[in-house]
Amino acid sequence: MSGATQPILPYGRQTITDADIAAGQELFMGSCGSDYCHGSNGNSGGAPDLSVEVPARTDSEIATILASGTGYMPAQGFDSTETANVIAYLRATFP
């Protein structure tokens, strides 16, 4: 991730809060955390290892993947705040 990249923040926010990260974790676990997908720890499911994928991508790239899907991963249907919260969780968990 480039140092010049700005994080995607929840709508109207200037910073990412613990509540944003917790909300993102809940969404992740409900949509992505199954063993069929990334698994609850991000690398135990059938999908790519997030400890490798997240640091290699910008927030905008992750947002696009969440919105459009990729490979076998379907689009997630998150609104902009949900997307920002999932990204906040991913960044906090897979730096």
Side-chain angles (χ1 to χ4, degrees):
M1 185 170 87
S2 167
T5 302
Q6 295 297 314
I8 295 176
L9 299 174
Y11 181 76
R13 301 274 179 87
Q14 299 300 311
T15 59
I16 295 170
T17 66
D18 289 342
D20 298 328
I21 294 168
Q25 179 180 20
E26 185 174 330
L27 289 164
F28 175 86
M29 292 302 174
S31 295
C32 318
S34 74
D35 287 338
Y36 178 76
C37 297
H38 296 285
S40 61
N41 66 359
N43 65 6
S44 62
D49 181 346
L50 295 181
S51 67
V52 174
E53 292 294 321
V54 170
R57 301 201 181 260
T58 66
D59 288 359
S60 293
E61 289 172 328
I62 295 170
T64 298
I65 291 168
L66 291 171
S68 303
T70 184
Y72 292 108
M73 179 183 150
Q76 297 303 301
F78 297 143
D79 66 27
S80 61
T81 298
E82 291 169 330
T83 297
N85 288 342
V86 169
I87 293 170
Y89 168 72
L90 293 173
R91 291 285 178 222
T93 307
F94 309 104

